[in-house]
Amino acid sequence: MFKIPLFHNLIASGFGSGYSPIAPGTAGALLATLIWWGYASLFNDYYQTLQCTFLLVCIFTFLGIWSSGVSEKYWGKDPSRVVIDEMVGTWIALLAVPADNYIGYMFAAFILFRFFDILKPLGIKQAEKLPSGYGIMADDILSGIYGGIVILLYRFVCA
């Protein structure tokens, strides 16, 4: 049996976080949150953080579709160790985090993304039916969008 090329393994597995023996999807989402927290603290500038997050979403959506599609040829349909989709979905939810008091919102983005990703309401389950890497990525992109919408609604109504 052939091994998946290293590049696609690194991308699809979320830099190895998908190899977590317990809750690999949560491990990928947590890694994405920690990466975001790292550069948000480093930049200490809302617009740089927003731009960096948007750039990561764009780059890793493309790479995720490609690498998760390749991974299915080696690991089977929608393998659990593919978590780049969880990382992208988490970053999408994190786009809604405000500049001030971002730590609480950061945790909310993580939790809301995982909530929507696990329960798969409102058309998220249907998004998985797209072919190959598109289906792997689409449901998590939608989960991230829903998580971001909840955060934005809370910010505008309650905060």
Side-chain angles (χ1 to χ4, degrees):
M1 176 165 228
F2 295 102
K3 288 174 54 174
I4 186 171
L6 179 61
F7 174 80
H8 294 295
N9 189 346
L10 283 173
I11 299 299
S13 72
F15 306 102
S17 61
Y19 285 97
S20 171
I22 301 167
T26 300
L30 180 59
L31 177 61
T33 303
L34 292 173
I35 290 169
W36 183 90
W37 188 14
Y39 67 76
S41 300
L42 179 69
F43 292 151
N44 203 17
D45 177 82
Y46 177 70
Y47 294 104
Q48 281 185 311
T49 301
L50 196 61
Q51 289 171 343
C52 187
T53 306
F54 183 75
L55 189 62
L56 286 174
V57 167
C58 291
I59 291 169
F60 284 99
T61 295
F62 171 76
L63 291 176
I65 291 168
W66 182 29
S67 290
S68 60
V70 169
S71 75
E72 283 191 321
K73 297 173 186 169
Y74 295 88
W75 296 335
K77 184 159 175 53
D78 200 1
S80 63
R81 71 182 74 149
V82 172
V83 297
I84 192 62
D85 50 335
E86 275 85 2
M87 293 181 76
V88 168
T90 301
W91 286 326
I92 290 171
L94 286 163
L95 285 168
V97 171
D100 58 335
N101 192 23
Y102 67 87
I103 298 294
Y105 284 100
M106 177 186 72
F107 286 117
F110 171 80
I111 290 167
L112 285 166
F113 166 73
R114 289 304 292 152
F115 171 80
F116 286 112
D117 185 34
I118 291 166
L119 293 183
K120 301 194 184 310
L122 306 168
I124 295 172
K125 185 74 173 163
Q126 287 75 21
E128 285 183 316
K129 295 177 183 173
L130 292 169
S132 192
Y134 296 101
I136 291 173
M137 295 295 294
D139 68 308
D140 295 280
I141 288 169
L142 205 48
S143 296
I145 290 169
Y146 288 161
I149 288 170
V150 170
I151 290 170
L152 289 173
L153 286 172
Y154 176 82
R155 284 178 58 196
F156 291 118
V157 172
C158 300

